[in-house]
Amino acid sequence: MSELPPLNTETIQAIIDAKIDDHTVNQLVWYYLGYRYDTTTDKWDASGVAPEWRDEYPEPPNFIEFRPPTVKLTRSIPKENKQLLKQKLGFKGYKIGEFTPVQARRATMANWLLSYMEISSR
């Protein structure tokens, strides 16, 4: 994987603002799910990925392009962390009819990463 931006609120805001490209956003989520790319074998190593992800996605899914893995990502966010984008970044959401599926998926990924940060800091 290429050099990833640091996991902090500035990066999360940049995801929401589409200042980080889709591939890098995917890579961030893959990294924190535990996926690692082995350059010697040119294959993904999912040994550090939780079984509920590894079993369904032995290789990291494209969260930007496909809805099912994003739904799974949403469901994996603990209930108490579902509103972190609002609480931590003041994100007001998108207006109906004024956002795309990609923006909604980016918001889900940003919220999952914020949740990961919250859980990791405990």
Side-chain angles (χ1 to χ4, degrees):
M1 279 197 260
S2 61
E3 189 69 29
L4 296 176
L7 186 57
N8 56 35
T9 55
E10 290 81 17
T11 297
I12 303 299
Q13 187 65 55
I15 291 169
I16 294 294
D17 296 340
K19 293 180 178 173
I20 297 176
D21 66 273
D22 292 348
H23 184 66
T24 302
V25 177
N26 265 321
Q27 286 184 319
L28 273 167
V29 176
W30 298 341
Y31 182 84
Y32 291 103
L33 280 170
Y35 292 98
R36 300 294 183 271
Y37 192 75
D38 185 338
T39 55
T40 58
T41 63
D42 283 331
K43 294 185 190 243
W44 284 98
D45 175 6
S47 61
V49 178
E52 62 269 16
W53 281 96
R54 184 178 57 235
D55 294 348
E56 193 169 347
Y57 299 103
E59 291 193 357
N62 187 328
F63 293 101
I64 298 288
E65 289 187 20
F66 302 107
R67 185 174 179 271
T70 309
V71 170
K72 185 176 181 76
L73 200 64
T74 300
R75 291 179 179 156
S76 72
I77 300 170
K79 186 177 181 178
E80 65 273 14
N81 292 351
K82 297 273 187 197
Q83 298 297 317
L84 285 178
L85 286 179
K86 268 186 206 177
Q87 295 166 355
K88 300 276 183 181
L89 299 179
F91 181 65
K92 303 216 185 301
Y94 301 110
K95 292 183 178 164
I96 294 178
E98 294 182 8
F99 68 97
T100 66
V102 168
Q103 288 173 305
R105 291 178 187 141
R106 281 175 157 270
T108 296
M109 296 164 78
N111 200 59
W112 185 88
L113 288 165
L114 268 177
S115 179
Y116 179 90
M117 287 171 53
E118 187 80 10
I119 292 166
S120 297
S121 69
R122 292 181 192 157

